[in-house]
Amino acid sequence: MMIMKSLRSRRFLALAAALTVASAGLTGCGGSDSDNSGASGNAPIRALLAAQPATLDPIVGARSAQIVWATMLEPLINTGSDLAPTDTGLVTSWTRTDATTWTFKVRPDISFSNGEKADAAAVANTITLTRDSAASQLKSYFGNVTAIEAPDATTVVVKTKTPQYDIPDLLTTVYLVPPKYYQEKGSEGFAAAPVGTGPYVWSGANAGRDISVKRNPDYWGTKATNEGVTFTWANEAAQRLALIQSKSVDVSFDLPPAQASAAKAAGVEVVSTETAMKIIAFLDSTKAPFDDPKLREAAALAIDRDAIVKGIFDGQAVADAGLLNVKPGQQPTQSVTADAAKAKELLGGASPTVQITYPAAQYTNIEEVSQAVGGSLEKAGFKVSYVPLDYGTLVKRIIGRQVPGISIFAGVPNVAVPDYFVSGFMKTKSITGNCPDPQIDTLAQQALEQNDAQQAAPIYEQLNTIGVVQKHCYVPLYRQVFNYATGPGVSGVVFGPLNTVDFTKTTR
């Protein structure tokens, strides 16, 4: 069963003090005290996260932080309820003028909150930064792009070396940044006070305690109903539960099953959503011990995803055996089934040492999950050590190829196409780079050169089989069921399966 962390009084009091400061600030802006008495419907929203965002720069930042930056910044292309691109955002149309050329039309007369023009030149600059910045999170996805041009204020032309059917899909997770401001401030400066075209603008932050945004009065679209959002964070789930129960916050995100059940029992409104986010164990095939294919297979057979879902999440997660089945409800045609006896047999009495690295407090029950994976490996004969890191440090080490053994973290297909994981995790030049293989690179390219997703689907099935079933570089574990709780009278929080949140209609 799940291991419950104890509530540490000092950390709770520190967080409560921070929330008191934030609450006082909200009251000054027309908000209310902790019991919500007298709160108007458009009062600022107090949102509690599980962890502090590592950065608010969308060029270099992991998409787990978009819950904050997406209040101020907008993706180039919006998505609909089916997760497919729509014409409702900054980019309003696109055409494939030939096999390697895409032409995009940009919504006219849009400005950033600092007055810069959000025109085609800004769009081209953002795509260029995404492709060329050394620390870009999406760099590997745009390696096939050879030219990005803005022939006029509302037109962007993107050329690729070889055909690539999913360029519009990729632009749904590229967030527009103002060229002059971003160049002047740099990544760290921009992250300290982001500027965008979104429904909110930067209001301020107390370092390590909270981040606030306020309604953008000049927003080009439908303006936010509330006056703003203040984000705070608490690493421990017990704290997040206590703060929503005490009405100190309006919405508390990422409640593990035990806390979600406790909240429901106490009469707190809890919303549960199966997400596209999946937790994956990545085995580094470039370093010992997993440069040995037999040891990778042993590890893959030792890990029992069904036991993790049942024992740690009490069934409130969805066991997921595939890497490239990116939408909720999908499963691969081939997968690996846990077989502890065979795993032990493959080790043949050897006791190889394995390091398990994971982002402490970043995901629901991630410590318990990492311990469960390690326990399975130890039963097979592996010797296991654990390295918990903060999320930002883990990402930097993975990109720097400094994480041997197993790293456990979430894959979030912010673009609901298989190539998002292929380019991010499978290709030789990818974020993880843990499974370099010329065959994978060739198939990945072939898939992108198809006319559409339907034609590419059989190739992605083949890639999934190679990476998960044959090479055992990836051990998919489960798809998360995300729980969040709302306080009395709070409504209008919109949580999407790609881990996006729309606060614009939220009231309390």
Side-chain angles (χ1 to χ4, degrees):
M1 294 300 292
M2 183 179 64
I3 301 171
M4 290 293 294
K5 294 183 179 179
S6 63
L7 180 64
R8 297 180 184 140
S9 59
R10 289 186 180 181
R11 291 180 63 183
F12 177 81
L13 289 172
L15 179 67
L19 285 166
T20 300
V21 172
S23 186
L26 291 175
T27 302
C29 294
S32 66
D33 58 23
S34 62
D35 68 0
N36 279 346
S37 60
S40 60
N42 64 350
I45 305 304
R46 301 164 298 176
L48 181 63
L49 310 178
Q52 179 179 358
T55 179
L56 298 183
D57 175 8
I59 302 298
V60 305
R63 267 43 194 167
S64 57
Q66 70 184 359
I67 187 173
V68 178
W69 80 49
T71 58
M72 299 169 282
L73 283 73
E74 295 180 291
L76 299 183
I77 296 179
N78 285 350
T79 54
S81 57
D82 61 353
L83 307 182
T86 70
D87 60 1
T88 60
L90 297 172
V91 171
T92 58
S93 68
W94 46 92
T95 55
R96 197 172 189 177
T97 48
D98 61 49
T100 58
T101 305
W102 287 89
T103 300
F104 300 89
K105 299 303 290 186
V106 179
R107 188 177 296 277
D109 304 321
I110 305 295
S111 296
F112 292 97
S113 59
N114 69 345
E116 284 190 56
K117 291 183 178 180
D119 56 9
V123 171
N125 178 74
T126 293
I127 299 173
T128 301
L129 286 170
T130 302
R131 182 192 65 180
D132 296 346
S133 298
S136 170
Q137 279 282 314
L138 304 177
K139 188 180 182 70
S140 63
Y141 300 100
F142 289 87
N144 189 39
V145 173
T146 58
I148 307 149
E149 301 169 350
D152 59 55
T154 61
T155 306
V156 175
V157 178
V158 175
K159 294 182 178 292
T160 57
K161 183 178 181 181
T162 57
Q164 185 167 345
Y165 79 87
D166 68 345
I167 292 292
D169 296 275
L170 292 178
L171 297 187
T172 64
T173 193
V174 175
Y175 286 78
L176 187 64
V177 298
K180 293 179 181 178
Y181 182 76
Y182 192 89
Q183 183 178 17
E184 175 190 341
K185 295 296 184 179
S187 176
E188 290 188 10
F190 181 86
V195 168
T197 61
Y200 298 91
V201 296
W202 179 258
S203 180
N206 292 297
R209 298 196 311 187
D210 61 66
I211 296 168
S212 294
V213 298
K214 59 185 179 182
R215 181 169 52 208
N216 181 359
D218 300 316
Y219 181 50
W220 64 269
T222 303
K223 293 177 176 56
T225 302
N226 52 67
E227 294 180 2
V229 184
T230 291
F231 297 93
T232 52
W233 40 88
N235 295 146
E236 294 186 11
Q239 294 179 2
R240 298 196 295 279
L241 172 61
L243 289 165
I244 192 68
Q245 287 181 309
S246 67
K247 305 176 185 177
S248 297
V249 297
D250 300 312
V251 54
S252 181
F253 290 102
D254 203 0
L255 291 180
Q259 281 72 27
S261 297
K264 290 177 183 178
V268 176
E269 181 74 19
V270 176
V271 179
S272 300
T273 304
E274 181 182 341
T275 73
M277 182 176 84
K278 62 176 71 182
I279 302 297
I280 305 162
F282 295 83
L283 281 62
D284 189 348
S285 68
T286 70
K287 303 179 183 69
F290 294 129
D291 53 351
D292 183 340
K294 186 168 67 174
L295 296 186
R296 293 200 303 273
E297 182 180 4
L301 290 169
I303 299 170
D304 190 338
R305 66 180 62 85
D306 292 315
I308 290 173
V309 167
K310 182 178 180 180
I312 296 177
F313 293 93
D314 195 22
Q316 295 186 45
V318 180
D320 194 326
L323 180 66
L324 303 184
N325 48 315
V326 293
K327 293 183 179 181
Q330 295 178 333
Q331 285 291 349
T333 56
Q334 295 188 49
S335 60
V336 175
T337 301
D339 188 333
K342 188 174 180 180
K344 193 168 186 177
E345 179 184 335
L346 284 169
L347 287 185
S351 300
T353 299
V354 176
Q355 174 182 302
I356 296 179
T357 307
Y358 63 94
Q362 183 68 24
Y363 312 116
T364 302
N365 296 336
I366 189 62
E367 183 174 349
E368 289 84 352
V369 169
S370 300
Q371 294 282 343
V373 169
S376 297
L377 295 176
E378 287 175 336
K379 288 180 180 178
F382 289 95
K383 293 181 179 179
V384 178
S385 63
Y386 300 92
V387 181
L389 299 172
D390 68 86
Y391 185 75
T393 300
L394 175 60
V395 171
K396 289 179 181 178
R397 290 191 183 180
I398 288 172
I399 292 174
R401 307 295 186 257
Q402 299 172 328
V403 184
I406 295 176
S407 55
I408 300 176
F409 60 94
V412 182
N414 299 96
V415 176
V417 293
D419 183 68
Y420 198 76
F421 279 173
V422 174
S423 290
F425 302 140
M426 295 191 74
K427 289 162 62 174
T428 299
K429 292 183 179 180
S430 65
I431 296 170
T432 54
N434 65 302
C435 198
D437 186 324
Q439 183 187 15
I440 289 176
D441 294 339
T442 298
L443 288 171
Q445 187 59 44
Q446 289 178 4
L448 286 178
E449 292 177 359
Q450 303 305 303
N451 290 329
D452 53 36
Q454 185 175 359
Q455 289 187 7
I459 301 175
Y460 287 125
E461 282 288 358
Q462 185 180 357
L463 280 165
N464 186 86
T465 299
I466 292 171
V468 176
V469 181
Q470 296 176 359
K471 294 180 70 70
H472 305 287
C473 292
Y474 313 91
V475 182
L477 299 175
Y478 56 89
R479 200 184 296 272
Q480 183 169 333
V481 173
F482 192 88
N483 301 307
Y484 65 92
T486 56
V490 176
S491 64
V493 179
V494 180
F495 183 87
L498 297 182
N499 285 26
T500 57
V501 181
D502 181 359
F503 292 100
T504 59
K505 297 178 180 65
T506 306
T507 59
R508 68 181 180 98

